[in-house]
Amino acid sequence: MSYTFQFGVLAQYQDEILNGIWLTIKLSVLSILLGSAAGVVLASIRSVKGGAARFLVDAYVEIIRNTPFLVQLFIVYFGLPGVGLRVGADTAALIGMTINLAAYSTEIIRAGIEAVHKSQIEAGEALGFTRFQIYRHVIIVPAIAKVYPALCSQFVLMMLASSICSAISTHELAASAAFVESQTYRSFEVYIVVTLIYLALALALRACLALVGMWLFGRRVARRTMTSLPEVQA
Amino acid sequence: MKILNYVRTTLTAIAIGIASLAATAEASATTLNDIVSRGSVRIGVLTGAPPMGMVDEKGNPTGYDVDVANLIGGYLSLPVELVPLTPPARIPALQTGKVDFLVATLAPTGERAKTVMFTQPYSAFNMDIISGPDQKFASLADLKGKRVAVNRGSSQETALRKAAVPGMQIVVFEDDSTSAQALIAGQADAVALPSTVGEAIIKQRPDAGLQVGFTFFQQGNSMATKMQDFELRQWLNTAIYLMKISGDLDKVATKWTGRPMPTLPSF
């Protein structure tokens, strides 16, 4: 097979692609902020034994983690208008991504909370910490530090999964690519370029998350975030 | 024995060679007399594009094209050999003489007219703008500032982008049914659909109150013959004329598309 690559035709669609990149970045950053914040709250609720709130959080996490992201997006975009809640495609994408990411981060952070040994909490009590101080200094911050690399992997996966939002007419990077492809019929070239852009975005996101990790939890956590290597216990 | 085998193989190869030469020679021109003396007519029909051409549950070709092809066979008083063809296979099958002519939902275009000869249109579909119950559009100008859902890469997307109505927003989905879903869910003001698809959706979702606004373009489809088959084309044009005035063509159109054949300019 001989195929003549023509990347030149893509140059005139530069603005289209840049707009797509910008929306992908916006959706990813916002959903990461909202989703992880919700994850911290929900994981805290989930780590409390018993109660209706815990049951609801459990149900939410299980439903989201066991259904396809595309179906969740369709429900937000096509289903909610049926009950009088109409949101645009970009907002629907953000809602869908946040709901999805919140469920996964809840589960990841919960694992971190469960890894905090009971004796440490008892040590906090012995030192006269208030309940809130124990929760903050002994439970949640060390828990997140432990699972931070896993959390970051989930964030990167979410950024890549944002490409699915093109199915509900959100004009992010994958939709831009599909548009350029349908205009130029140069699918090979378009998707090579877009693959490289996604790769660059994923690496950049990982680097940013490592910097945030260094600032929040120190160098060791940051290094694990960048390389995704399991923590070596000293 | 080995030598005998060799001779047999060679002879077979030569026979195939001669046969294919003959086939090529046949492809050079097809007259009405050739078809009548052969005793059957080979007609290429479209497959995989309901309701124009598809296969039934037994695997036999069926659809608008097949009914028209059988009508033609009736006019010729000859049995019809249907040859189902995918869209890209249609013109090559005609050019290599695999079929005598095409009744395969082929739209006449300037580019295609350089390789095959078209008859009068025998079928057509409308590209419709469909809206919800609370608003109705009568022309492209009405779509100003509206959100119109289309299927990505479709001819309706191309036509709407070309129309470039100021302020109109084209919202792109992966297929016709998702685009229609966007309208039903109120995420778009209108959807552009082929009338055949649009009517099926309106029938299936009577509760959604969808209404056809206007037709923004019409695609006519012609039969096609090889470049040099003037006689055959003239005969087909006459047959189409007869099918039109006898009402047979309208019957086929109503059966498959739910309405009589729209009036199209002829050439």
Side-chain angles (χ1 to χ4, degrees):
Chain A
M1 190 193 85
S2 66
Y3 185 87
T4 318
F5 284 97
Q6 288 184 24
F7 288 99
V9 291
L10 305 187
Q12 54 178 312
Y13 293 100
Q14 192 184 340
D15 288 351
E16 171 72 31
I17 302 268
L18 285 177
N19 285 336
I21 295 175
W22 178 227
L23 187 56
T24 293
I25 293 176
K26 270 196 292 189
L27 286 173
S28 305
V29 170
L30 283 174
S31 67
I32 287 171
L33 290 175
L34 296 172
S36 51
V40 170
V41 174
L42 294 177
S44 307
I45 295 173
R46 216 182 175 190
S47 61
V48 177
K49 296 263 180 300
R54 162 149 189 199
F55 173 76
L56 287 176
V57 174
D58 279 351
Y60 162 74
V61 169
E62 291 311 318
I63 288 171
I64 297 299
R65 294 204 328 140
N66 292 295
T67 50
F69 180 49
L70 181 62
V71 176
Q72 294 161 11
L73 281 176
F74 276 162
I75 288 178
V76 173
Y77 188 69
F78 292 124
L80 288 190
V83 294
L85 249 171
R86 182 164 306 149
V87 288
D90 293 0
T91 321
L94 180 60
I95 293 174
M97 287 170 71
T98 304
I99 288 176
N100 187 279
L101 191 55
Y104 279 94
S105 25
T106 300
E107 187 64 8
I108 293 170
I109 295 170
R110 184 187 66 112
I113 291 176
E114 278 181 4
V116 175
H117 202 271
K118 204 176 156 218
S119 62
Q120 287 189 301
I121 299 169
E122 286 167 356
E125 281 165 354
L127 286 170
F129 276 22
T130 63
R131 281 188 68 178
F132 177 73
Q133 281 174 322
I134 292 178
Y135 171 72
R136 190 186 151 189
H137 297 289
V138 182
I139 301 176
I140 200 74
V141 173
I144 295 176
K146 266 200 189 75
V147 297
Y148 188 72
L151 214 45
C152 292
S153 293
Q154 196 61 46
F155 294 163
V156 172
L157 282 177
M158 193 72 253
M159 191 276 287
L160 297 176
S162 71
S163 59
I164 296 174
C165 300
S166 62
I168 57 163
S169 79
T170 308
H171 211 84
E172 42 64 72
L173 182 53
S176 295
F179 172 77
V180 176
E181 195 253 324
S182 74
Q183 297 292 304
T184 61
Y185 297 99
R186 290 264 152 210
S187 21
F188 220 6
E189 288 88 338
V190 172
Y191 287 111
I192 287 175
V193 168
V194 168
T195 303
L196 292 176
I197 294 174
Y198 270 116
L199 184 64
L201 282 177
L203 291 175
L205 178 60
R206 214 173 252 286
C208 290
L209 290 168
L211 281 178
V212 172
M214 182 132 90
W215 173 57
L216 287 176
F217 310 112
R219 190 177 296 274
R220 208 158 60 106
V221 170
R223 200 168 50 237
R224 283 194 292 137
T225 306
M226 205 53 210
T227 57
S228 309
L229 287 177
E231 185 181 16
V232 181
Q233 294 289 344
Chain B
M1 285 311 276
K2 262 201 176 145
I3 293 169
L4 250 179
N5 267 340
Y6 175 75
V7 170
R8 194 183 294 155
T9 316
T10 316
L11 282 179
T12 317
I14 291 170
I16 290 172
I18 290 169
S20 50
L21 266 181
T24 327
E26 198 181 43
S28 63
T30 311
T31 64
L32 216 45
N33 271 336
D34 294 338
I35 296 173
V36 172
S37 58
R38 192 197 311 133
S40 76
V41 55
R42 289 179 305 208
I43 305 178
V45 292
L46 182 62
T47 190
M52 307 314 276
M54 62 262 190
V55 286
D56 63 13
E57 55 274 19
K58 284 177 199 139
N60 298 317
T62 180
Y64 192 117
D65 286 347
V66 172
D67 283 5
V68 174
N70 284 327
L71 278 176
I72 300 264
Y75 281 97
L76 276 171
S77 310
L78 286 176
V80 177
E81 278 179 50
L82 293 171
V83 182
L85 299 167
T86 57
R90 290 176 294 184
I91 289 178
L94 178 63
Q95 286 175 322
T96 54
K98 287 196 174 63
V99 297
D100 296 323
F101 53 88
L102 296 174
V103 184
T105 314
L106 194 66
T109 65
E111 203 53 42
R112 285 171 178 166
K114 291 177 191 161
T115 53
V116 298
M117 198 156 47
F118 287 103
T119 66
Q120 302 298 334
Y122 72 94
S123 80
F125 35 72
N126 295 336
M127 214 49 88
D128 286 343
I129 294 289
I130 297 172
S131 64
D134 42 345
Q135 52 186 351
K136 192 168 180 173
F137 304 110
S139 70
L140 278 173
D142 287 357
L143 295 175
K144 190 177 170 188
K146 301 293 179 188
R147 289 163 58 83
V148 184
V150 293
N151 174 1
R152 194 188 308 281
S154 60
S155 56
Q156 57 264 40
E157 185 192 358
T158 315
L160 273 182
R161 289 203 192 278
K162 217 181 216 171
V165 180
M168 175 181 69
Q169 205 187 334
I170 297 172
V171 219
V172 188
F173 294 92
E174 301 302 322
D175 51 35
D176 281 336
S177 60
T178 319
S179 313
Q181 191 54 49
L183 171 65
I184 293 172
Q187 296 286 12
D189 296 300
V191 56
L193 290 175
S195 50
T196 44
V197 178
E199 269 148 26
I201 292 171
I202 290 173
K203 216 177 280 172
Q204 263 165 23
R205 289 294 303 268
D207 54 309
L210 303 183
Q211 43 185 351
V212 179
F214 65 97
T215 297
F216 71 108
F217 78 89
Q218 205 168 41
Q219 179 182 323
N221 304 298
S222 290
M223 301 177 193
T225 68
K226 287 192 292 288
M227 240 2 203
Q228 60 273 40
D229 293 346
F230 282 96
E231 181 200 306
L232 191 55
R233 190 195 66 142
Q234 189 52 31
W235 184 86
L236 287 172
N237 269 337
T238 314
I240 293 169
Y241 166 77
L242 290 172
M243 285 191 282
K244 276 180 180 166
I245 56 164
S246 68
D248 285 348
L249 202 53
D250 274 343
K251 257 183 243 162
V252 175
T254 312
K255 175 178 167 192
W256 294 105
T257 69
R259 62 166 93 164
M261 187 176 149
T263 329
L264 278 178
S266 296
F267 53 86

